[in-house]
Amino acid sequence: MTRVFIAIDLPAEIKERIAETQKVLARSCARLTFVAPRNMHITLKFIGEVEDEMLEAIRSALQGVSADPFEIAIRGVGANNLRRPRVVWSNLEDAGKTGGLHDAIEEALAPLGIEREERAYTPHITIARVRQFDPSLLGAIEQVMAKEFGSFRADRYTLKKSTLTKQGPRYEDLMEVVW
Ligand code: 3AM
């Protein structure tokens, strides 16, 4: 079995800027797990554990799913719940294009029996996960909430293998779809 998901990768300079922001969040008294810069990405679709045969079917189905290249601006820091965050993330400005790609991927994978997400899709870059909340986290988020991390032209996505280890997840690229 292979644990897989689909994501858009980020340019190195954007990941470096997000890492600077992690330092500000680290000064709060909340207990946080930070996403390592090499692992930062925009998840398009989490699939989960699949057999080899299904993995091949996913590869074939994704061949046909693309978009026209589009601009993504990474701007602002927010959270899944601004009063008591569990996930701190950065927001995207992309005129809804990433959401459109997410929908197209779900459409292509549904015939394989891969379920659609029940929750509405909110494209984001996870920066930190909250292990233990502390109110000082809200002030730390406020300090960085207007930060701009830069923009880039999205023209590909990647099918990734995820291996969970004690040191955190390890991601490997299995396939890249370039538009
Ligand atoms: O990009 P984010 O951080 O939103 O949280 C995991 C991460 O999302 C999510 O898939 C992305 C790559 O690991 N993920 C992990 N397990 C999941 C699950 N069981 C999951 N998403 C939905 N259901």
Side-chain angles (χ1 to χ4, degrees), residues 24-105:
V24 177
L25 298 175
R27 289 188 217 125
S28 86
C29 297
R31 205 147 56 82
L32 304 171
T33 305
F34 291 104
V35 177
R38 68 175 177 283
N39 284 348
M40 289 173 184
H41 61 266
I42 303 164
T43 299
L44 285 167
K45 173 78 182 160
F46 176 80
I47 298 174
E49 302 268 341
V50 294
E51 305 273 6
D52 288 354
E53 207 172 304
M54 176 63 100
L55 192 52
E56 278 316 303
I58 291 168
R59 281 175 183 269
S60 303
L62 290 178
Q63 297 286 356
V65 185
S66 67
D68 290 327
F70 58 91
E71 282 293 312
I72 301 181
I74 316 293
R75 188 169 293 155
V77 174
N80 68 310
N81 171 343
L82 275 173
R83 268 178 294 186
R84 203 183 168 89
R86 273 179 294 107
V87 181
V88 182
W89 62 38
S90 183
N91 300 306
L92 314 191
E93 285 178 18
D94 63 354
K97 300 275 188 173
T98 309
L101 194 52
H102 161 86
D103 292 346
I105 288 172

XYZ file of all heavy atoms in Angstrom, residues 24-105:
627
model
N 8.267 33.713 14.105
C 7.424 34.615 14.903
C 6.398 33.796 15.688
O 6.178 34.022 16.884
C 6.717 35.655 13.995
C 5.789 36.540 14.815
C 7.746 36.478 13.219
N 5.794 32.815 15.018
C 4.781 31.987 15.692
C 5.414 31.178 16.829
O 4.775 30.932 17.858
C 4.121 31.038 14.690
C 3.358 31.684 13.527
C 2.859 30.614 12.554
C 2.177 32.514 14.024
N 6.684 30.818 16.643
C 7.371 29.995 17.652
C 7.571 30.747 18.962
O 7.795 30.135 20.009
C 8.718 29.520 17.108
N 7.464 32.086 18.914
C 7.630 32.872 20.154
C 6.377 32.829 21.016
O 6.387 33.281 22.159
C 7.969 34.327 19.813
C 9.376 34.471 19.254
C 9.754 35.943 19.102
N 10.538 36.123 17.899
C 10.262 36.968 16.916
N 9.193 37.761 16.991
N 11.029 37.048 15.865
N 5.269 32.336 20.485
C 4.062 32.234 21.306
C 4.248 31.063 22.287
O 5.181 30.269 22.147
C 2.831 31.995 20.427
O 2.671 30.619 20.162
N 3.345 30.974 23.253
C 3.472 29.897 24.247
C 2.699 28.637 23.843
O 2.660 27.666 24.594
C 2.986 30.377 25.616
S 3.983 31.727 26.241
N 2.074 28.667 22.663
C 1.375 27.465 22.189
C 2.411 26.410 21.819
O 3.547 26.746 21.483
C 0.525 27.807 20.972
N 2.004 25.134 21.898
C 2.901 24.069 21.441
C 2.541 23.769 19.993
O 1.402 23.360 19.705
C 2.753 22.831 22.324
C 3.974 21.963 22.346
C 4.154 21.279 23.703
N 2.968 20.514 24.068
C 2.706 19.281 23.629
N 3.542 18.669 22.809
N 1.618 18.656 24.000
N 3.482 24.039 19.091
C 3.209 23.940 17.655
C 4.137 22.928 17.000
O 5.272 22.759 17.434
C 3.435 25.304 16.986
C 2.655 26.496 17.551
C 3.150 27.795 16.919
C 1.158 26.331 17.292
N 3.623 22.272 15.957
C 4.498 21.471 15.091
C 4.590 22.219 13.784
O 3.569 22.472 13.132
C 3.896 20.075 14.830
O 3.636 19.463 16.074
C 4.858 19.213 14.031
N 5.786 22.583 13.387
C 5.964 23.359 12.156
C 6.198 22.446 10.963
O 6.890 21.431 11.080
C 7.146 24.320 12.313
C 6.854 25.419 13.288
C 7.392 25.410 14.560
C 5.992 26.444 12.941
C 7.096 26.409 15.468
C 5.683 27.452 13.836
C 6.232 27.433 15.102
N 5.633 22.835 9.833
C 5.882 22.099 8.594
C 7.286 22.472 8.111
O 7.613 23.664 8.017
C 4.831 22.461 7.514
C 5.132 21.764 6.190
C 3.417 22.105 7.997
N 8.113 21.467 7.853
C 9.467 21.737 7.343
C 9.347 22.411 5.977
O 8.511 21.999 5.169
C 10.240 20.433 7.210
N 10.169 23.432 5.711
C 10.059 24.136 4.420
C 10.046 23.196 3.212
O 9.289 23.401 2.271
C 11.275 25.067 4.424
C 11.471 25.367 5.880
C 11.126 24.099 6.610
N 10.868 22.134 3.237
C 10.887 21.228 2.062
C 9.530 20.549 1.865
O 9.224 20.074 0.774
C 12.001 20.175 2.213
C 11.747 19.185 3.321
C 12.785 18.063 3.389
N 12.497 17.204 4.531
C 12.778 17.529 5.791
N 13.400 18.654 6.061
N 12.459 16.712 6.774
N 8.724 20.479 2.910
C 7.418 19.805 2.819
C 6.258 20.751 2.535
O 5.116 20.315 2.422
C 7.114 19.063 4.124
C 7.911 17.776 4.253
O 8.509 17.325 3.281
N 7.919 17.208 5.440
N 6.515 22.055 2.472
C 5.402 23.003 2.275
C 4.832 22.858 0.868
O 5.575 22.749 -0.105
C 5.895 24.438 2.480
C 6.214 24.752 3.919
S 6.977 26.386 4.030
C 7.368 26.438 5.783
N 3.523 22.864 0.776
C 2.858 22.637 -0.511
C 1.401 23.095 -0.423
O 0.909 23.397 0.672
C 2.888 21.137 -0.832
C 2.159 20.329 0.197
N 2.786 19.747 1.277
C 0.840 20.066 0.357
C 1.892 19.146 2.034
N 0.693 19.324 1.509
N 0.727 23.075 -1.553
C -0.721 23.329 -1.591
C -1.381 21.985 -1.911
O -1.218 21.470 -3.025
C -1.083 24.348 -2.695
C -0.326 25.660 -2.495
C -2.599 24.563 -2.729
C -0.325 26.562 -3.742
N -2.071 21.403 -0.957
C -2.732 20.119 -1.226
C -3.920 20.338 -2.154
O -4.774 21.180 -1.892
C -3.227 19.471 0.086
O -2.102 19.233 0.924
C -3.940 18.151 -0.178
N -3.958 19.578 -3.236
C -5.122 19.609 -4.132
C -6.106 18.517 -3.745
O -7.323 18.699 -3.825
C -4.685 19.408 -5.585
C -4.011 20.613 -6.254
C -3.345 20.189 -7.546
C -5.042 21.709 -6.523
N -5.558 17.357 -3.344
C -6.428 16.234 -2.991
C -5.649 15.218 -2.174
O -4.595 14.743 -2.626
C -6.945 15.588 -4.292
C -7.722 14.304 -4.109
C -9.131 14.557 -3.655
C -9.891 13.257 -3.432
N -11.065 13.470 -2.563
N -6.149 14.902 -0.983
C -5.558 13.825 -0.197
C -6.264 12.536 -0.602
O -7.492 12.475 -0.587
C -5.718 14.076 1.303
C -5.205 12.938 2.131
C -3.847 12.809 2.385
C -6.078 11.978 2.633
C -3.364 11.736 3.126
C -5.593 10.902 3.377
C -4.232 10.783 3.626
N -5.525 11.532 -0.973
C -6.147 10.266 -1.412
C -6.050 9.209 -0.319
O -7.023 8.538 0.006
C -5.496 9.762 -2.730
C -5.728 10.810 -3.844
C -6.096 8.410 -3.140
C -5.026 10.506 -5.159
N -4.885 9.033 0.288
C -4.722 8.012 1.334
C -4.050 6.763 0.779
O -3.413 6.794 -0.268
N -4.221 5.647 1.498
C -3.520 4.397 1.161
C -4.162 3.724 -0.054
O -5.375 3.510 -0.062
C -3.635 3.423 2.340
C -3.077 3.949 3.649
C -1.624 3.572 3.846
O -1.164 2.632 3.189
O -0.958 4.243 4.657
N -3.358 3.387 -1.041
C -3.884 2.687 -2.221
C -2.979 1.511 -2.607
O -1.783 1.515 -2.350
C -4.041 3.627 -3.450
C -5.091 4.685 -3.205
C -2.714 4.261 -3.841
N -3.589 0.503 -3.232
C -2.842 -0.645 -3.777
C -2.160 -0.203 -5.068
O -2.571 0.786 -5.694
C -3.816 -1.778 -4.132
C -4.711 -2.236 -3.005
C -4.047 -3.311 -2.138
O -2.853 -3.605 -2.372
O -4.719 -3.819 -1.237
N -1.173 -1.000 -5.519
C -0.432 -0.662 -6.741
C -1.341 -0.501 -7.954
O -1.133 0.387 -8.779
C 0.609 -1.753 -7.049
C 1.757 -1.703 -6.054
O 1.783 -0.763 -5.232
O 2.611 -2.608 -6.091
N -2.346 -1.373 -8.030
C -3.241 -1.329 -9.191
C -4.003 0.002 -9.241
O -4.143 0.624 -10.293
C -4.238 -2.480 -9.069
C -4.773 -2.987 -10.375
C -5.601 -4.242 -10.131
O -5.060 -5.218 -9.541
O -6.783 -4.219 -10.477
N -4.470 0.419 -8.083
C -5.181 1.701 -7.987
C -4.240 2.857 -8.302
O -4.622 3.823 -8.956
C -5.771 1.855 -6.577
C -6.444 3.163 -6.339
S -7.887 3.438 -7.397
C -9.176 3.010 -6.264
N -2.996 2.726 -7.854
C -2.020 3.785 -8.124
C -1.843 3.972 -9.631
O -1.775 5.101 -10.128
C -0.692 3.425 -7.450
C 0.370 4.509 -7.368
C -0.179 5.795 -6.774
C 1.555 4.016 -6.547
N -1.796 2.883 -10.351
C -1.677 2.955 -11.814
C -2.901 3.624 -12.418
O -2.798 4.445 -13.330
C -1.493 1.542 -12.409
C -0.073 1.047 -12.347
C 0.950 2.101 -12.760
O 0.846 2.620 -13.891
O 1.840 2.439 -11.955
N -4.090 3.278 -11.902
C -5.335 3.866 -12.405
C -5.361 5.373 -12.130
O -5.806 6.172 -12.962
C -6.534 3.178 -11.765
N -4.838 5.760 -10.979
C -4.785 7.189 -10.627
C -3.849 7.924 -11.596
O -4.183 8.979 -12.125
C -4.310 7.375 -9.159
C -5.387 6.876 -8.192
C -3.970 8.832 -8.876
C -4.921 6.749 -6.747
N -2.692 7.317 -11.853
C -1.740 7.927 -12.791
C -2.393 8.161 -14.144
O -2.253 9.233 -14.728
C -0.537 6.996 -13.016
C 0.493 7.007 -11.917
C 1.524 5.936 -12.256
N 2.543 5.785 -11.254
C 3.709 6.442 -11.253
N 3.997 7.300 -12.200
N 4.577 6.235 -10.289
N -3.120 7.166 -14.637
C -3.771 7.296 -15.955
C -4.843 8.373 -15.919
O -4.930 9.198 -16.831
C -4.437 5.986 -16.369
O -3.515 4.977 -16.389
N -5.650 8.368 -14.854
C -6.755 9.333 -14.775
C -6.226 10.767 -14.728
O -6.834 11.683 -15.289
C -7.614 9.037 -13.551
N -5.067 10.954 -14.078
C -4.547 12.316 -13.918
C -3.953 12.870 -15.209
O -3.876 14.093 -15.374
C -3.483 12.361 -12.809
C -4.006 12.155 -11.387
C -2.840 12.172 -10.399
C -5.026 13.227 -11.006
N -3.559 11.973 -16.109
C -2.957 12.442 -17.378
C -3.834 13.476 -18.063
O -3.349 14.415 -18.671
C -2.755 11.272 -18.352
C -1.795 10.216 -17.884
C -0.340 10.653 -17.953
O -0.042 11.742 -18.424
N 0.543 9.801 -17.459
N -5.157 13.261 -17.941
C -6.074 14.139 -18.671
C -6.496 15.382 -17.905
O -7.280 16.184 -18.410
N -5.999 15.555 -16.683
C -6.500 16.662 -15.853
C -5.475 17.782 -15.759
O -4.447 17.633 -15.103
C -6.828 16.188 -14.417
C -7.465 17.319 -13.623
C -7.746 14.991 -14.461
N -5.743 18.886 -16.423
C -4.819 20.009 -16.316
C -5.617 21.308 -16.320
O -6.819 21.314 -16.180
C -3.800 19.954 -17.450
O -4.432 20.187 -18.678
N -4.921 22.402 -16.504
C -5.563 23.718 -16.497
C -4.678 24.613 -17.345
O -3.592 24.193 -17.764
C -5.625 24.247 -15.068
N -5.096 25.838 -17.602
C -4.172 26.792 -18.189
C -3.306 27.307 -17.048
O -3.789 27.422 -15.919
C -4.934 27.954 -18.819
C -5.679 27.499 -20.059
O -5.169 26.591 -20.750
O -6.762 28.029 -20.333
N -2.026 27.606 -17.310
C -1.200 28.147 -16.222
C -1.877 29.362 -15.588
O -2.534 30.129 -16.287
C 0.094 28.545 -16.934
C 0.161 27.654 -18.123
C -1.265 27.471 -18.565
N -1.739 29.496 -14.283
C -2.363 30.636 -13.607
C -1.461 31.151 -12.492
O -0.571 30.450 -12.018
C -3.759 30.275 -13.082
C -3.802 29.112 -12.116
C -3.688 29.320 -10.746
C -3.967 27.807 -12.574
C -3.738 28.248 -9.848
C -4.009 26.730 -11.689
C -3.895 26.954 -10.331
N -1.715 32.389 -12.086
C -0.920 33.043 -11.039
C -1.492 32.707 -9.669
O -2.712 32.764 -9.480
C -0.992 34.563 -11.198
C -0.123 35.147 -12.276
C 1.368 35.008 -11.997
O 1.814 35.330 -10.873
O 2.091 34.567 -12.915
N -0.610 32.392 -8.756
C -1.018 32.216 -7.358
C -0.214 33.202 -6.524
O 1.025 33.195 -6.568
C -0.738 30.785 -6.847
C -1.479 29.741 -7.687
C -1.132 30.659 -5.376
C -1.276 28.294 -7.217
N -0.902 34.057 -5.781
C -0.224 34.939 -4.827
C -0.453 34.356 -3.427
O -1.573 33.971 -3.094
C -0.793 36.348 -4.913
N 0.632 34.266 -2.670
C 0.533 33.735 -1.305
C 0.553 34.933 -0.373
O 1.557 35.650 -0.295
C 1.731 32.801 -0.971
C 2.040 31.846 -2.117
C 1.486 32.059 0.331
C 1.011 30.827 -2.423
N -0.544 35.152 0.280
C -0.709 36.406 1.014
C -1.501 36.162 2.298
O -2.585 35.605 2.252
C -1.498 37.357 0.110
C -1.600 38.753 0.604
C -2.164 39.636 -0.479
N -1.261 39.775 -1.611
C -1.647 40.077 -2.854
N -2.916 40.240 -3.126
N -0.760 40.213 -3.819
N -0.933 36.592 3.402
C -1.670 36.574 4.661
C -1.573 35.253 5.401
O -1.388 34.201 4.805
N -1.650 35.352 6.725
C -1.643 34.155 7.574
C -2.979 34.094 8.297
O -3.460 35.092 8.839
C -0.476 34.200 8.590
C -0.560 33.041 9.569
C 0.851 34.178 7.847
N -3.578 32.941 8.265
C -4.861 32.730 8.931
C -4.868 31.362 9.581
O -3.818 30.770 9.803
N -6.055 30.887 9.862
C -6.176 29.604 10.546
C -7.537 29.007 10.243
O -8.431 29.704 9.769
C -6.017 29.797 12.049
N -7.666 27.722 10.532
C -8.950 27.071 10.272
C -10.033 27.665 11.176
O -11.205 27.681 10.819
C -8.827 25.562 10.485
C -8.606 25.211 11.955
O -7.731 25.788 12.598
N -9.406 24.327 12.477
N -9.626 28.144 12.342
C -10.571 28.741 13.289
C -9.789 29.834 14.012
O -8.847 29.539 14.752
C -11.059 27.650 14.240
C -11.869 28.202 15.391
O -11.838 29.397 15.703
N -12.619 27.338 16.038
N -10.175 31.083 13.788
C -9.318 32.176 14.274
C -9.410 32.409 15.779
O -8.595 33.122 16.350
C -9.624 33.466 13.511
C -8.856 33.587 12.176
C -9.308 34.798 11.383
C -7.337 33.635 12.412
N -10.407 31.784 16.453
C -10.465 31.951 17.909
C -9.648 30.882 18.626
O -9.050 31.111 19.655
C -11.920 31.918 18.385
C -12.501 33.329 18.427
C -13.929 33.319 18.836
N -14.736 32.644 17.819
C -16.057 32.580 17.853
N -16.718 33.115 18.847
N -16.727 31.970 16.890
N -9.659 29.685 18.034
C -8.901 28.585 18.628
C -8.352 27.698 17.505
O -8.911 26.637 17.192
C -9.817 27.784 19.563
C -9.058 27.028 20.612
C -9.988 26.195 21.470
N -9.198 25.282 22.276
C -8.722 25.583 23.469
N -8.974 26.742 24.021
N -7.991 24.707 24.133
N -7.266 28.170 16.892
C -6.744 27.466 15.697
C -6.221 26.065 16.008
O -5.633 25.835 17.070
C -5.583 28.350 15.241
C -5.682 29.608 16.008
C -6.466 29.340 17.241
N -6.439 25.182 15.066
C -5.792 23.864 15.104
C -4.724 23.796 14.019
O -3.737 23.100 14.156
C -6.820 22.734 14.900
C -7.477 22.299 16.211
C -8.504 21.206 15.997
N -9.634 21.682 15.219
C -9.888 21.370 13.950
N -9.104 20.543 13.302
N -10.940 21.872 13.330
N -4.983 24.524 12.931
C -4.025 24.585 11.831
C -3.802 26.053 11.482
O -4.774 26.803 11.335
C -4.562 23.843 10.583
C -3.536 23.896 9.457
C -4.917 22.407 10.910
N -2.541 26.465 11.414
C -2.222 27.826 10.976
C -1.741 27.716 9.547
O -0.904 26.866 9.221
C -1.119 28.455 11.865
C -0.839 29.892 11.435
C -1.541 28.409 13.332
N -2.316 28.530 8.681
C -1.984 28.396 7.262
C -1.825 29.747 6.595
O -2.143 30.787 7.181
C -3.031 27.539 6.561
C -4.452 28.042 6.544
C -4.882 29.328 6.400
C -5.635 27.235 6.633
N -6.252 29.369 6.401
C -6.750 28.097 6.541
C -5.873 25.860 6.773
C -8.065 27.645 6.587
C -7.184 25.422 6.818
C -8.262 26.298 6.731
N -1.335 29.716 5.377
C -1.280 30.929 4.576
C -2.336 30.810 3.484
O -2.638 29.723 2.995
C 0.109 31.086 3.970
O 0.136 32.309 3.272
N -2.910 31.947 3.134
C -3.998 31.973 2.151
C -3.467 32.206 0.744
O -2.394 32.783 0.551
C -4.968 33.102 2.506
C -5.544 32.899 3.882
O -6.089 31.850 4.186
N -5.393 33.906 4.742
N -4.261 31.790 -0.230
C -3.897 31.981 -1.636
C -4.849 32.972 -2.275
O -6.029 32.994 -1.953
C -4.062 30.697 -2.451
C -3.543 29.377 -1.944
C -3.607 28.356 -3.077
C -2.141 29.512 -1.441
N -4.321 33.743 -3.212
C -5.185 34.526 -4.096
C -4.933 34.018 -5.497
O -3.824 34.126 -6.016
C -4.874 36.017 -3.976
C -5.432 36.575 -2.689
C -5.118 38.034 -2.489
O -4.760 38.715 -3.470
O -5.207 38.472 -1.333
N -5.942 33.411 -6.069
C -5.751 32.705 -7.344
C -6.998 32.738 -8.209
O -7.142 31.900 -9.110
C -5.365 31.248 -7.065
C -6.478 30.515 -6.334
O -7.473 31.163 -5.952
O -6.373 29.299 -6.160
N -7.910 33.653 -7.917
C -9.165 33.783 -8.673
C -9.907 32.448 -8.754
O -10.560 32.149 -9.750
C -8.882 34.341 -10.067
N -9.789 31.651 -7.714
C -10.543 30.389 -7.665
C -9.984 29.279 -8.547
O -10.586 28.208 -8.659
N -8.801 29.511 -9.137
C -8.271 28.532 -10.100
C -7.834 27.227 -9.417
O -8.002 26.143 -9.985
C -7.075 29.112 -10.849
C -7.393 30.358 -11.637
C -7.936 30.009 -12.987
C -8.050 31.261 -13.825
N -8.417 31.024 -15.183
N -7.255 27.335 -8.220
C -6.819 26.111 -7.534
C -8.041 25.267 -7.175
O -8.021 24.040 -7.308
C -6.000 26.464 -6.264
O -4.974 27.385 -6.639
C -5.355 25.243 -5.658
N -9.111 25.940 -6.762
C -10.364 25.233 -6.452
C -10.910 24.538 -7.693
O -11.419 23.411 -7.609
N -10.781 25.180 -8.837
C -11.244 24.592 -10.095
C -10.467 23.326 -10.430
O -11.030 22.320 -10.875
N -9.167 23.379 -10.163
C -8.313 22.217 -10.419
C -8.655 21.080 -9.446
O -8.719 19.905 -9.830
C -6.864 22.662 -10.258
C -5.766 21.765 -10.764
C -5.994 21.371 -12.216
C -4.427 22.479 -10.619
N -8.893 21.443 -8.200
C -9.322 20.449 -7.199
C -10.597 19.748 -7.664
O -10.697 18.514 -7.612
C -9.553 21.163 -5.863
C -10.411 20.396 -4.902
N -9.912 19.444 -4.032
C -11.748 20.412 -4.685
C -10.892 18.923 -3.337
N -12.019 19.489 -3.702
N -11.555 20.536 -8.148
C -12.826 19.949 -8.609
C -12.580 19.006 -9.786
O -13.157 17.908 -9.839
C -13.805 21.056 -9.063
C -14.279 21.908 -7.890
O -14.070 21.499 -6.728
O -14.855 22.984 -8.151
N -11.726 19.425 -10.722
C -11.456 18.603 -11.910
C -10.771 17.292 -11.510
O -11.062 16.224 -12.068
C -10.586 19.383 -12.895
N -9.882 17.355 -10.519
C -9.201 16.141 -10.051
C -10.203 15.209 -9.374
O -10.219 14.000 -9.626
C -8.023 16.510 -9.113
C -6.891 17.114 -9.953
C -7.540 15.304 -8.327
C -5.746 17.700 -9.150
